[in-house]
Amino acid sequence: MASSSLQSLFSLFCLALFSLPLIVSSIGINYGQVANNLPPPKNVIPLLKSVGATKVKLYDADPQALRAFAGSGFELTVALGNEYLAQMSDPIKAQGWVKENVQAYLPNTKIVAIVVGNEVLTSNQSALTAALFPAMQSIHGALVDCGLNKQIFVTTAHSLAILDVSYPPSATSFRRDLLGSLTPILDFHVKTGSPILINAYPFFAYEENPKHVSLDFVLFQPNQGFTDPGSNFHYDNMLFAQVDAVYHALDAVGISYKKVPIVVSETGWPSNGDPQEVGATCDNARKYNGNLIKMMMSKKMRTPIRPECDLTIFVFALFNENMKPGPTSERNYGLFNPDGTPVYSLGIKTSSTHSSGSGSSNSTGGSSSGGGGNTGGSSSGGGIYQPVTGNPSPDYMSISSAGVTFSTLHFICCFTLTIFVDI
């Protein structure tokens, strides 16, 4: 009887233990391919697993990548480039795109979202702005026609330049000149239950004003932070303050938008840059991305204004991409070199080894192969893999991702007024 009782107690203990809410890692990685020396998509899966990623965001609907992720368990977000927006206002063309680029790969490839356009509202291109919302409607309508609207959501990504007043977070609002275009999109999010995507880069704030922006505050290092005088919320890192600035802006537009969730579709830090790109160093990139990923792995990501909402974040980016135009930093946001070696140690435990043949058994704990300083990929491994032969979205190369310094300057100038360091 005693043994049976103990066994019953143990069973009840196990049941209670496994009934507790578990903190599950939900790490997203941006997988860009603006390079001529990257491994084929099938070879990137071990790298993604090595950093604990469960979600991947593409900048197109590359067939090779979609086939490679079949059966992998990763949740994929695909993108429709800005150059296609005008065409997608035609419901027939939108349905054709969805059938060819999404439905054809289901259910083996787990596609969960379609990002229609990138940073369109701040592109200063009126034709693109006019085409954005109709394209989102058409793509969503195509999903409805295919019976996929319950499993795949439609959204678009914005830069933080959609904000007007941006400091403190409790006083933020959307730019008045964008409200006419933004409000229908927000209504769309409410109706369909889809999130609003933002690209947020604390790096730009530090780069613009390193004397008055605390490096520890932007790198998730221990710091005194600041308290928002309007909300009395305390912030110890800039990324959460940026996210809450957008939440406050949503609240300011109307109470119906309070339930719209935010996804950070891009954030990261370059490991190398031009001399004037202050802060673009391997050590800072290691701290920013390493601390961020460790935070995502160890606890729920919730900001002060939305303590009930888990924040999904996509780190930019998987690889250094040697064909991206712009400053040196643009080609050095990767966690990995093209040969599969880590650019720097993230300081986290890995779950798998990479297949680059470099001899390292820990893809996130090895030493940097070049200090983040090479702009064309690893000199020792650039020819190991077949080059990517697809035609990457020109929007990704020109106005997307980390290179949109011009579109974040307004936010930076407002936000950095009171984030001081001792000088």
Side-chain angles (χ1 to χ4, degrees):
M1 287 292 295
S3 176
S4 177
S5 299
L6 285 173
Q7 187 174 9
S8 298
L9 286 172
F10 180 74
S11 298
L12 288 171
F13 172 77
C14 290
L15 179 63
L17 177 65
F18 289 104
S19 297
L20 294 173
L22 298 177
I23 298 175
V24 179
S25 171
S26 183
I27 298 170
I29 302 289
N30 284 280
Y31 173 25
Q33 300 186 68
V34 187
N36 61 6
N37 57 357
L38 298 183
K42 65 179 181 179
N43 288 10
V44 308
I45 292 175
L47 300 182
L48 291 163
K49 289 181 177 179
S50 76
V51 296
T54 59
K55 304 174 187 290
V56 179
K57 184 161 74 69
L58 306 176
Y59 286 90
D60 51 23
D62 174 33
Q64 189 180 7
L66 294 177
R67 286 192 295 268
F69 281 96
S72 66
F74 285 93
E75 294 184 357
L76 257 64
T77 295
V78 299
L80 183 69
N82 292 359
E83 69 273 23
Y84 298 108
L85 297 186
Q87 301 175 37
M88 291 304 117
S89 61
D90 181 342
I92 296 178
K93 291 182 178 178
Q95 189 173 72
W97 188 91
V98 166
K99 286 183 175 180
E100 180 182 351
N101 296 283
V102 178
Q103 190 177 32
Y105 298 95
L106 301 174
N108 291 338
T109 300
K110 191 177 181 181
I111 300 173
V112 299
I114 301 172
V115 181
V116 178
N118 190 73
E119 299 184 350
V120 171
L121 298 187
T122 51
S123 67
N124 298 318
Q125 299 182 58
S126 57
L128 276 182
T129 297
L132 176 59
F133 183 54
M136 293 176 67
Q137 288 180 304
S138 293
I139 292 295
H140 178 71
L143 290 174
V144 172
D145 292 341
C146 295
L148 299 173
N149 58 301
K150 298 298 183 182
Q151 66 190 76
I152 300 173
F153 66 77
V154 175
T155 186
T156 187
H158 306 278
S159 80
L160 288 176
I162 60 174
L163 298 176
D164 189 356
V165 177
S166 53
Y167 179 84
S170 62
T172 53
S173 62
F174 292 118
R175 283 169 43 184
R176 291 181 180 272
D177 62 312
L178 298 181
L179 281 177
S181 300
L182 186 59
T183 302
I185 294 174
L186 297 180
D187 290 335
F188 176 88
H189 290 315
V190 173
K191 180 181 178 181
T192 64
S194 58
I196 182 172
L197 271 56
I198 61 168
N199 299 336
Y201 287 90
F203 164 71
F204 292 139
Y206 182 76
E207 178 192 22
E208 280 299 304
N209 203 349
K211 291 184 178 180
H212 293 92
V213 177
S214 166
L215 185 59
D216 287 337
F217 184 71
V218 296
L219 295 180
F220 306 101
Q221 297 282 96
N223 67 95
Q224 64 182 10
F226 82 98
T227 299
D228 185 324
S231 65
N232 207 36
F233 289 138
H234 185 78
Y235 295 92
D236 60 11
N237 71 79
M238 183 174 283
L239 181 64
F240 279 18
Q242 290 178 332
V243 171
D244 273 2
V246 180
Y247 272 129
H248 278 289
L250 286 169
D251 294 349
V253 177
I255 191 170
S256 62
Y257 304 128
K258 285 183 176 291
K259 293 184 179 180
V260 176
I262 290 176
V263 167
V264 178
S265 44
E266 291 182 14
T267 192
W269 198 284
S271 59
N272 191 28
D274 296 321
Q276 66 272 23
E277 294 186 282
V278 180
T281 69
C282 199
D283 188 55
N284 287 343
R286 176 184 61 81
K287 289 177 180 176
Y288 185 86
N289 288 322
N291 287 338
L292 177 59
I293 291 175
K294 280 184 277 189
M295 284 173 60
M296 288 191 281
M297 294 177 72
S298 64
K299 64 181 180 180
K300 291 182 182 294
M301 299 292 284
R302 296 178 176 182
T303 66
I305 194 174
R306 291 289 193 272
E308 74 284 1
C309 297
D310 290 329
L311 184 63
T312 297
I313 297 174
F314 287 84
V315 176
F316 186 87
L318 184 61
F319 290 111
N320 283 338
E321 299 170 69
N322 68 339
M323 293 182 67
K324 294 197 69 178
T328 298
S329 62
E330 272 294 278
R331 294 172 289 282
N332 289 276
Y333 274 85
L335 300 178
F336 293 95
N337 294 302
D339 67 350
T341 58
V343 176
Y344 42 78
S345 169
L346 288 170
I348 62 175
K349 292 182 180 180
T350 64
S351 59
S352 64
T353 59
H354 63 75
S355 57
S356 67
S358 64
S360 171
S361 60
N362 187 335
S363 64
T364 59
S367 61
S368 167
S369 62
N374 90 60
T375 58
S378 170
S379 59
S380 63
I384 293 177
Y385 299 113
Q386 294 295 319
V388 173
T389 57
N391 181 24
S393 168
D395 306 299
Y396 170 49
M397 297 178 68
S398 60
I399 65 170
S400 176
S401 75
V404 198
T405 308
F406 72 86
S407 70
T408 59
L409 289 181
H410 184 84
F411 177 83
I412 292 165
C413 291
C414 296
F415 191 86
T416 58
L417 291 176
T418 61
I419 308 299
F420 296 114
V421 294
D422 295 330
I423 57 175

